[in-house]
Amino acid sequence: MAKALKTGIEARAIQRTTRQSPYKMRLVIDQIRGQRVNDALALLKFSKKHAAEQIEKTLNSAVANAEQAARAANTSLDVDALVITKAIVNEGPKLKRFMPAAMGRATPIAKRTSHVEIIVAEAVR
């Protein structure tokens, strides 16, 4: 896929402490990195993964932020020309829980969270 060149409008959206492990989120985010926004939204809409729902919300927020930035700069923005330039998932804080085990012991459980960051920019045609 050809690398998209940025013009001027670039917007980002961040979703913090999503209750999904980063490993599972990265499986989905790797599929949409570098794609056009419409193609990525279609892929996320029909994905069976729970992470796709969370990433779709973040992507919609990034598109809305781009529209708002264009409106504030008094420029035109073609939403169909938006491309995902950066999409990363980082590990958030772990929720530490304990589960009862045999002989009065306790087993630690780390409920993992994720931080999702998506940056979209307008591609030059």
Side-chain angles (χ1 to χ4, degrees), residues 9-12 37 59 62-63 66 82-85 118-122:
I9 299 297
E10 182 177 272
R12 74 178 187 157
V37 169
L59 183 56
V63 171
L82 286 178
V83 175
I84 300 170
T85 56
I118 296 177
I119 298 178
V120 295
E122 200 170 10

Side-chain angles (χ1 to χ4, degrees), residues 33-74:
R33 190 176 293 119
Q35 287 192 359
R36 294 195 175 276
V37 169
N38 289 338
D39 297 338
L41 284 172
L43 190 139
L44 293 171
K45 186 74 173 171
F46 295 105
S47 176
K48 291 183 178 180
K49 302 257 183 211
H50 176 261
E53 189 177 321
Q54 303 299 320
I55 292 170
E56 184 180 4
K57 287 181 185 180
T58 311
L59 183 56
N60 283 330
S61 179
V63 171
N65 291 344
E67 290 174 341
Q68 184 64 30
R71 200 173 298 126
N74 202 18

Side-chain angles (χ1 to χ4, degrees), residues 72-86:
N74 202 18
T75 60
S76 64
L77 174 72
D78 185 14
V79 178
D80 296 331
L82 286 178
V83 175
I84 300 170
T85 56
K86 183 178 176 186

